[in-house]
Amino acid sequence: MRTPIFIRPLTEDERQHIQKGLRSSDAFVLRRCQILTASVRGERAPAIALQLGCDDQTVRNVLHGFNTQGLAVLHEGSSRPHRLRTTFSEEGTQQLKELLHRSPHDFGKDRSTWTLELAAQVSFEQGIIPCEVSDESVRRALKRLKTNWKRAKHWITSPDPQYLQKKRSRPLDCLGQPAACLGHRLPG
């Protein structure tokens, strides 16, 4: 059987703050003040939990929190985890970066450009990560590398040193598109 837990003796300021909290419109503050007030009356955690319709461990957590933090226990903290679990290790993140500099065709895929989903799938298949992950995990890994995910056509370049010069010198059709791209014959 667990040792009963009660809150420490209250100061006058704490007592007034808890009394004020019993009139709060915030359900979180109200519930916590009800737990503290019941503990002051000498009620045990299971009885308080039954009376308020919550779990007795919740009551114990509030009582322990008050004994260590004081009135700070009345303020709702963030439910966000303190640290996000990272699927890609530092080495795995570097391997992901190297993977994205290769073509998906090298891995038997029918595409010539990467998507975040495809990068996640191939990372798993290649053993870079131990389990399948979402595209958001890949995006976070790239963010840790300080690399933004961009559509491929904006950043892919040709190894041909004359690529940009050739690209700029192509004649345009009436719509402003390179004429050769639309299958038109170039004049003359």
Side-chain angles (χ1 to χ4, degrees):
M1 184 171 180
R2 293 185 178 190
T3 306
I5 181 172
F6 299 99
I7 62 169
R8 60 176 170 68
L10 297 173
T11 66
E12 188 54 38
D13 184 46
E14 289 173 333
R15 186 177 305 279
Q16 289 175 359
H17 202 84
I18 291 171
Q19 287 300 319
K20 183 179 174 186
L22 289 172
R23 295 183 300 276
S24 175
S25 61
D26 183 352
F28 182 85
V29 173
L30 174 64
R31 172 67 52 95
R32 296 244 167 155
C33 288
Q34 289 170 332
I35 291 171
L36 296 175
T37 303
S39 181
V40 167
R41 290 191 305 256
E43 296 180 35
R44 294 183 175 196
I48 297 170
L50 185 63
Q51 177 185 8
L52 297 177
C54 62
D55 190 66
D56 58 336
Q57 186 60 50
T58 302
V59 173
R60 283 188 201 88
N61 291 345
V62 172
L63 298 177
H64 178 70
F66 180 80
N67 288 337
T68 58
Q69 303 169 24
L71 292 174
V73 77
L74 299 179
H75 302 289
E76 191 168 8
S78 172
S79 61
R80 182 176 180 206
H82 295 290
R83 184 175 184 277
L84 291 174
R85 184 177 63 90
T86 54
T87 307
F88 286 90
S89 64
E90 287 303 315
E91 180 184 342
T93 306
Q94 289 300 323
Q95 289 174 335
L96 172 66
K97 184 176 181 179
E98 293 166 11
L99 175 111
L100 294 175
H101 284 286
R102 296 175 59 191
S103 171
H105 291 299
D106 295 347
F107 302 98
K109 303 302 175 188
D110 294 335
R111 307 182 47 105
S112 60
T113 57
W114 288 103
T115 63
L116 292 172
E117 296 86 3
L118 186 61
Q121 179 186 2
V122 173
S123 295
F124 173 66
E125 291 170 357
Q126 294 298 309
I128 295 173
I129 51 176
C131 58
E132 293 183 17
V133 296
S134 68
D135 57 338
E136 189 57 33
S137 294
V138 176
R139 186 184 313 278
R140 282 195 313 262
L142 292 172
K143 187 175 181 180
R144 285 198 321 265
L145 285 171
K146 301 199 180 350
T147 302
N148 290 330
W149 181 258
K150 297 177 185 169
R151 289 183 51 194
K153 74 179 195 177
H154 296 297
W155 57 267
I156 286 183
T157 58
S158 171
D160 179 5
Q162 301 296 316
Y163 173 74
L164 288 176
Q165 184 180 4
K166 291 176 186 176
K167 186 175 178 180
R168 287 188 200 118
S169 67
R170 290 169 73 179
L172 303 177
D173 69 358
C174 60
L175 298 175
Q177 299 290 325
C181 291
L182 297 175
H184 298 156
R185 280 187 78 205
L186 297 175

